[in-house]
Amino acid sequence: MATGMYTNAGNKKLGKNKIGVVNRENRVTCPGLSDFCEFCYVDDYTKIYKNVLPAYRRELVLPVKIIRPAVRIHASGDFDTVEYIEQIHDWVREHPDTLFWAYTRSWRVAGLLPALESLRSEPNVQLFASTDKTIAEPPPDGWRVAFIIGDDRYDGPACMEQTGAKSDCAACGFCFKGQSKNIGFALH
């Protein structure tokens, strides 16, 4: 069974008690790490909140029966095995009225890409190829890209929660409501 934690509580960025989130241990579940990942924001978070890392290491039991209308997959962690991707895929199919989204660097792992492509094909899923200037290879064809602002290879609006144009992801919806554009994030 995969490790991680699902909560309906969301967080400040997502929208407290508005969006569900699946979190996993960072780095350990991130096979697509880049040199840029040395600066993972989750490291600081797990140092401040000592109970977070043990929760991310617990067995993740899916499907969760009651979920929010929108779910962020992996505010921490990533897709690390085909089995885990298939587990998430089954969960997504069981909740066709829920919108799911994730930013992943696991597209860089050839053995995971077919399962990710299958998950991405679901009508209620938006997967972004997460990238940065240290990643030379291009994202897979047809994928939306989540990039760090300043990476001139990609265009798209800046995250509206980060710019203050929207109060949180729930108020924005750009990443999970079926858009087709890329999204830029400020370093955080």
Side-chain angles (χ1 to χ4, degrees), residues 99-133:
L99 300 174
F100 295 87
W101 86 100
Y103 313 100
T104 180
R105 290 173 191 245
S106 295
W107 61 268
R108 301 177 66 211
V109 180
L112 299 179
L113 187 56
L116 289 170
E117 288 284 8
S118 181
L119 174 60
R120 193 175 79 86
S121 73
E122 293 297 330
N124 58 332
V125 173
Q126 293 286 318
L127 282 187
F128 289 79
S130 181
T131 191
D132 62 66
K133 289 183 178 184

Side-chain angles (χ1 to χ4, degrees), residues 26 39-49:
N26 67 318
F39 307 104
C40 183
Y41 68 92
V42 178
D43 288 337
D44 291 336
Y45 188 75
T46 58
K47 289 175 188 167
I48 295 168
Y49 302 101

Side-chain angles (χ1 to χ4, degrees), residues 25-87:
E25 186 175 359
N26 67 318
R27 299 184 190 280
V28 173
T29 64
C30 301
L33 287 171
S34 70
D35 292 342
F36 189 81
C37 295
E38 175 184 336
F39 307 104
C40 183
Y41 68 92
V42 178
D43 288 337
D44 291 336
Y45 188 75
T46 58
K47 289 175 188 167
I48 295 168
Y49 302 101
K50 300 293 185 196
N51 62 333
V52 168
L53 197 54
Y56 292 175
R57 289 177 175 159
R58 281 190 219 119
E59 188 173 286
L60 179 62
V61 179
L62 294 174
V64 174
K65 299 298 181 194
I66 299 171
I67 64 173
R68 296 282 180 195
V71 174
R72 162 90 187 265
I73 303 170
H74 307 144
S76 173
D78 208 341
F79 300 101
D80 60 342
T81 67
V82 170
E83 176 185 60
Y84 174 69
I85 296 167
E86 289 171 349
Q87 183 182 15

Side-chain angles (χ1 to χ4, degrees), residues 7-36:
T7 178
N8 272 317
N11 61 36
K12 184 180 175 190
K13 179 179 177 27
L14 294 173
K16 198 73 172 154
N17 298 314
K18 298 176 189 172
I19 289 183
V21 62
V22 174
N23 284 311
R24 305 183 78 209
E25 186 175 359
N26 67 318
R27 299 184 190 280
V28 173
T29 64
C30 301
L33 287 171
S34 70
D35 292 342
F36 189 81

